[in-house]
Amino acid sequence: MINVGCFVKSVKRLNNMINVIISRYKRYSGDTLDGNDIYKLLILAASLHDIGKIGANYQNPNNLRYEDSECKASFKYHEIISGTIIAEALTLPGEDIGINDIVKTMITLSVLNHHYALRDLKEMISTDITKLVEEIIRTSGVLTQSSILELERLQKDLSNILEINNQVSQKLITRIKEVIRIGSDQKSFKSMITRLLWTLRKHRAGYRFVVESINNYPMTNYFVSIMTGIINVSDNIVAFCERGGSRGEFAESLLKELNLSCKEIMSFDCWRS
């Protein structure tokens, strides 16, 4: 996962786009959170966009089918679980970690949307939410305690390699570990996913910070759209390069536009093989 954050941080054009988001957000919101903290939170979101793949069924060795060293496993719904984990971590009771609701929404929805347009997600939840939640859990399995150890290893890379060692980001990672612990219980996990899906319907049973940010601050959708695009582009290119340059006409066109090659990308100081 860290390679997507690495890519975003290392490619000047994407970095510039993030800085535009931060600059306009600061002028628009008057938020006192340091711009560097916001930058690291957005890089963290890019790095953790696939955290939903930690579901027990996704990680079952019997389901991890490989062909020519490429994983062919289905991770259907992982982006919904990723968004759920992030949203839960941002709303756990306890100490306020100082993240404005607009930034929370930016992080949550850009992770949630990285394989979808929001309109597609809304169509997905136009049916019975209870049945959809059951299907998601049946597909993914619950979160696993062993995933906390994996996240702790990732946390070291995030701190040492991507320099995401600021206090607010570290507090968010600690909260994510707590969400994973809670989500190892199926009933609790079901409640988390249900809250996220109700959010997409702008229902009062969902996450209020998302609904209120979108309803009250029109620029929120603009920030979310740009950050979603950054993660989507980066994810496509990183996956293409990690696969050895196979099956990627879209990624090839993006590399051409960015004037980059996989060889150059995989030589970034922060890249992990």
Side-chain angles (χ1 to χ4, degrees):
M1 287 188 289
I2 191 175
N3 284 340
V4 172
C6 170
F7 182 82
V8 175
K9 186 176 181 181
S10 303
V11 176
K12 186 175 180 180
R13 287 173 69 175
L14 298 183
N15 241 302
N16 288 344
M17 291 172 71
I18 286 186
N19 286 325
V20 167
I21 292 175
I22 294 169
S23 174
R24 294 194 177 184
Y25 164 74
K26 292 282 282 183
R27 289 203 307 269
Y28 175 72
S29 68
D31 189 357
T32 57
L33 185 62
D34 184 78
N36 189 52
D37 280 328
I38 299 171
Y39 174 83
K40 290 184 177 182
L41 283 168
L42 296 180
I43 297 296
L44 179 63
S47 300
L48 298 182
H49 75 284
D50 271 348
I51 196 170
K53 291 181 179 180
I54 63 175
N57 291 344
Y58 294 147
Q59 295 302 314
N60 185 329
N62 294 326
N63 297 331
L64 294 176
R65 183 171 58 86
Y66 288 84
E67 291 179 11
D68 298 325
S69 75
E70 182 183 342
C71 183
K72 298 290 185 178
S74 170
F75 295 107
K76 185 179 182 182
Y77 301 127
H78 78 271
E79 60 288 324
I80 292 176
I81 296 168
S82 294
T84 296
I85 292 170
I86 298 296
E88 278 292 313
L90 288 166
T91 53
L92 276 179
E95 178 191 4
D96 181 1
I97 58 176
I99 304 176
N100 180 287
D101 283 355
I102 299 175
V103 176
K104 290 180 183 178
T105 302
M106 222 189 302
I107 295 169
T108 300
L109 293 187
S110 61
V111 167
L112 174 66
N113 295 352
H114 77 269
H115 284 307
Y116 295 104
L118 189 55
R119 62 179 178 275
D120 298 325
L121 284 166
K122 287 178 177 176
E123 287 175 10
M124 181 190 296
I125 62 163
S126 63
T127 54
D128 189 302
I129 281 184
T130 301
K131 289 182 179 178
L132 178 56
V133 171
E134 289 172 353
E135 181 183 347
I136 291 170
I137 293 178
R138 187 166 54 248
T139 302
S140 72
V142 296
L143 306 181
T144 62
Q145 295 281 1
S146 61
S147 300
I148 297 175
L149 297 175
E150 182 60 33
L151 183 57
E152 286 174 349
R153 286 191 287 270
L154 178 63
Q155 186 174 6
K156 291 179 181 178
D157 281 347
L158 290 168
S159 178
N160 298 332
I161 299 167
L162 293 186
E163 298 178 336
I164 301 176
N165 47 21
N166 56 320
Q167 190 175 57
V168 66
S169 296
Q170 291 297 314
K171 286 181 178 179
L172 179 55
I173 293 171
T174 297
R175 284 176 168 228
I176 289 171
K177 286 188 280 189
E178 177 63 12
V179 168
I180 293 171
R181 187 193 65 77
I182 296 169
S184 62
D185 172 73
Q186 182 166 317
K187 184 177 179 181
S188 298
F189 192 36
K190 181 177 179 180
S191 296
M192 293 178 187
I193 298 171
T194 302
R195 267 193 293 277
L196 184 76
L197 296 180
W198 277 123
T199 302
L200 299 179
R201 288 190 181 180
K202 296 187 177 181
H203 192 279
R204 63 183 179 181
Y207 295 105
R208 289 181 60 190
F209 74 87
V210 174
V211 177
E212 291 180 1
S213 294
I214 290 175
N215 286 345
N216 299 331
Y217 304 99
M219 287 289 285
T220 301
N221 282 326
Y222 166 80
F223 299 136
V224 169
S225 295
I226 297 177
M227 194 61 207
T228 300
I230 289 171
I231 294 177
N232 182 274
V233 165
S234 304
D235 191 31
N236 269 279
I237 292 175
V238 167
F240 173 74
C241 292
E242 289 178 335
R243 286 196 302 261
S246 64
R247 297 189 300 105
E249 185 177 339
F250 177 57
E252 286 178 335
S253 65
L254 291 172
L255 285 169
K256 186 176 180 180
E257 178 65 27
L258 292 169
N259 194 27
L260 285 170
S261 68
C262 284
K263 183 178 180 180
E264 291 173 293
I265 291 167
M266 296 172 78
S267 67
F268 290 157
D269 290 341
C270 52
W271 185 271
R272 284 295 170 267
S273 301

